[in-house]
Amino acid sequence: MVRIVNYQKRTTEEGKDFFTLELQGGVEIVKSQETGKNYMTARKASMSCTFDEATCISLIGTELPGSVKKVVCEDYSYTIKDTGEIITLSHRFEYVEQEAPTYSPQKSNTTIEEFMSKAPVGNSFSTNGQLVH
């Protein structure tokens, strides 16, 4: 499951405003590459939407089936806000829909005669022969 945790107002190159919803996946435990210690985090992804600001606000806290996955992409530069350091990344995080479980019915090997032989004889609505409400 993912949860809508925030929204942002953005502007296209043509100057048109639109909103994105910030989705957050479940808590994960990750090992630090620098210290080797474990810490907790949650993956986040943004998704464009056609909603107005009031709708975006009302959707905060809504849970959706799916997850936030790491996806390989073309290299791009990213500036770490706290330090100002510019790094190159080759991945992004995207929302992935939960796949619907597949069910394939299996044909029974029971014949109609076998099935009917197990059905009650007489009034099939009552085992004692009386209709009771």
Side-chain angles (χ1 to χ4, degrees), residues 103-112:
Y103 171 73
S104 350
Q106 301 295 317
K107 183 176 179 181
S108 172
N109 292 328
T110 306
T111 64
I112 189 73

Side-chain angles (χ1 to χ4, degrees), residues 17 23 28 53 57 60-61 78 90 122 125:
D17 290 337
L23 308 174
E28 299 178 37
E53 188 168 15
I57 291 169
I60 293 174
Y78 176 78
S90 59
F125 295 102

Side-chain angles (χ1 to χ4, degrees), residues 123-130:
N123 186 349
S124 62
F125 295 102
S126 171
T127 56
N128 64 5
Q130 298 177 359

Side-chain angles (χ1 to χ4, degrees), residues 20-47:
T20 61
L21 296 173
E22 187 176 318
L23 308 174
Q24 181 174 301
V27 174
E28 299 178 37
I29 298 176
V30 181
K31 186 173 285 209
S32 169
Q33 293 178 348
E34 281 187 29
T35 66
K37 293 184 178 182
N38 291 329
Y39 65 95
M40 296 179 98
T41 188
R43 295 179 180 183
K44 290 183 179 181
S46 290
M47 180 182 281

Side-chain angles (χ1 to χ4, degrees), residues 16-82:
K16 184 178 177 188
D17 290 337
F18 69 101
F19 293 96
T20 61
L21 296 173
E22 187 176 318
L23 308 174
Q24 181 174 301
V27 174
E28 299 178 37
I29 298 176
V30 181
K31 186 173 285 209
S32 169
Q33 293 178 348
E34 281 187 29
T35 66
K37 293 184 178 182
N38 291 329
Y39 65 95
M40 296 179 98
T41 188
R43 295 179 180 183
K44 290 183 179 181
S46 290
M47 180 182 281
S48 298
C49 65
T50 59
F51 303 129
D52 61 12
E53 188 168 15
T55 304
C56 290
I57 291 169
S58 73
L59 289 173
I60 293 174
T62 301
E63 290 190 342
L64 305 167
S67 59
V68 176
K69 299 283 186 189
K70 187 176 184 177
V71 178
V72 176
C73 65
E74 286 188 36
D75 289 359
Y76 64 98
S77 296
Y78 176 78
T79 304
I80 299 173
K81 293 177 186 174
D82 295 340

